[in-house]
Amino acid sequence: MSAVVERFDGPAAEWDAFVATRDDATHCHRWAWRRVVERAYGHACPYLAARGEDGSIRGVLPLVVVRGAGMGRHLVSMPYLNYGGPLGDDEAAGALAEAAAELAARLRCGSVELRCRNAAGVAMPPHPGKVTCLLALPEGGAEARWRAFPAKLRSQVRRAEKEGVEIRFGADQVEPFFRVFARTMRDLGTPTHPLSFFRAVAGELGDDAWFASAWLRGRPVAGGCAIAGGGTVEMVWASALREASPAAPNMALYWAVIRRAAEAGMRAFDFGRCTPGGGTHRFKQQWGTADVPLPWLRSERRPGAAVRPGTPGFALAQRVWRRLPVPVATLIGPRIRRAIPL
């Protein structure tokens, strides 16, 4: 039975109903992310659906046209997130990927990137190099998970508690999280998303968006945003102030989110993407995680068109950005960040 690909503009309930039937779906496939991207950045979102002869959905592909002055135009599923790509049976996935390539040509996009978790059925070259780190959550709940951690790791979490680190969850933690996040992004030489982006995440994903902040002596010193879906909780964004590192607030933050995930009956905690062998990778490995390669697929219509680390001028731009005052970087960062799909 052949699959016919079409633009999908609603109803959202039909899209999400199909996503809910797929064991390989991620929160990134949910319709809510389209509303987040449109609200925060105004990007066009030409979502595609593959239908069978009976009209039922056999596959979906969320797509965003990421564009910005001097950055070109790129078709990505899904920008700013770790997953996306065609969702459906192999035939439908292949048809959706072909349709994405044709759409990119019509829109004169410099590249197409599909952030697949399963690349079966998609004829597009992989771009290896990134992994995610998964932590299995046992049936025994949070207590069983805690006992399985190494003694050294448990002592680091306890150190944060002894220092007086307090973890707070809730929509009211969006702004405290953002204050830490924006400062950290400046220090890393990376433009930040605007506060409005995270407010949109909280508003559109509701109870599935877990915003948490670590407070020490009356101020936030670490923060994270985790998204729940499909039996997994993924820490999509997290940061901590360097000067607070002796109190280990990041350890308390991660444990609080892992504990909440275990208590909610989730099967796994996803620490998010990183580069193998780097400091971030080592931080995640100490929790007893398993590395899972991310088979992102990329096709470039113009060589070097994709915006990513390693392209000319990227390192220089980072050095310049680190010198900016935090308020300045926070103000102008989103104008640049909207065009960078990472």
Side-chain angles (χ1 to χ4, degrees):
M1 184 171 63
S2 61
V4 178
V5 177
E6 64 180 23
R7 286 281 292 268
F8 188 97
D9 290 313
E14 183 184 17
W15 178 283
D16 283 338
F18 173 79
V19 171
T21 67
R22 299 288 306 186
D23 291 338
D24 53 347
T26 70
H27 67 84
C28 308
H29 290 97
R30 290 176 53 184
W31 189 264
W33 283 109
R34 174 173 177 161
R35 294 191 292 262
V36 170
V37 171
E38 289 176 336
R39 279 179 56 181
Y41 288 130
H43 289 320
C45 299
Y47 277 30
L48 302 179
R51 295 188 183 273
E53 294 177 357
D54 60 356
S56 62
I57 294 180
R58 290 180 54 191
V60 297
L61 175 56
L63 289 166
V64 178
V65 180
V66 180
R67 67 194 189 283
M71 298 287 190
R73 185 180 299 176
H74 308 276
L75 192 62
V76 187
S77 175
M78 283 289 289
Y80 320 126
L81 302 172
N82 296 329
Y83 302 109
L87 182 68
D89 60 64
D90 287 357
E91 183 183 8
L96 287 163
E98 290 179 8
E102 293 170 0
L103 178 61
R106 291 199 302 273
L107 297 176
R108 299 182 179 179
C109 294
S111 67
V112 181
E113 185 169 270
L114 306 179
R115 299 179 178 179
C116 301
R117 195 157 72 172
N118 177 10
V122 181
M124 191 177 288
H127 182 73
K130 295 293 185 181
V131 299
T132 191
C133 298
L134 289 182
L135 177 69
L137 300 178
E139 293 184 359
E143 186 60 31
R145 182 65 271 175
W146 174 257
R147 290 195 302 268
F149 287 140
K152 180 179 179 181
L153 187 143
R154 295 199 303 267
S155 68
Q156 289 178 298
V157 175
R158 291 194 183 103
R159 183 177 71 187
E161 295 172 351
K162 292 177 181 178
E163 292 287 341
V165 174
E166 176 192 359
I167 307 300
R168 303 177 189 175
F169 283 93
D172 62 342
Q173 295 306 302
V174 174
E175 291 191 30
F177 153 81
F178 180 75
R179 296 211 306 267
V180 177
F181 183 78
R183 161 84 177 279
T184 303
M185 291 301 101
R186 192 289 308 267
D187 292 347
L188 292 173
T190 303
T192 181
H193 289 294
L195 177 58
S196 60
F197 176 86
F198 296 108
R199 284 174 172 163
V201 171
E204 297 294 347
L205 281 93
D207 292 341
D208 289 334
W210 299 1
F211 280 90
S213 298
W215 290 73
L216 180 63
R217 290 187 278 277
R219 70 183 185 118
V221 293
C225 172
I227 308 295
T232 298
V233 174
E234 181 193 4
M235 184 71 89
V236 186
W237 298 281
S239 59
L241 300 182
R242 292 177 182 174
E243 63 265 28
S245 58
N250 56 336
M251 301 298 292
L253 176 75
Y254 271 87
W255 166 238
V257 179
I258 293 169
R259 179 175 58 197
R260 179 174 174 177
E263 292 172 348
M266 297 292 176
R267 299 188 300 271
F269 179 82
D270 188 338
F271 277 80
R273 77 171 183 261
C274 58
T275 301
T280 300
H281 188 213
R282 290 192 294 272
F283 170 83
K284 296 173 180 181
Q285 286 182 314
Q286 70 179 325
W287 296 84
T289 60
D291 288 356
V292 179
L294 293 176
W296 289 9
L297 309 177
R298 180 183 297 133
S299 176
E300 297 187 17
R301 298 181 61 247
R302 296 190 301 276
V307 178
R308 62 184 184 272
T311 53
F314 193 91
L316 175 60
Q318 283 188 308
R319 291 195 295 270
V320 171
W321 199 262
R322 292 188 186 105
R323 296 176 179 271
L324 294 177
V326 174
V328 174
T330 303
L331 177 64
I332 65 177
R335 304 175 189 177
I336 303 171
R337 189 67 180 84
R338 71 187 302 275
I340 302 175
L342 294 175

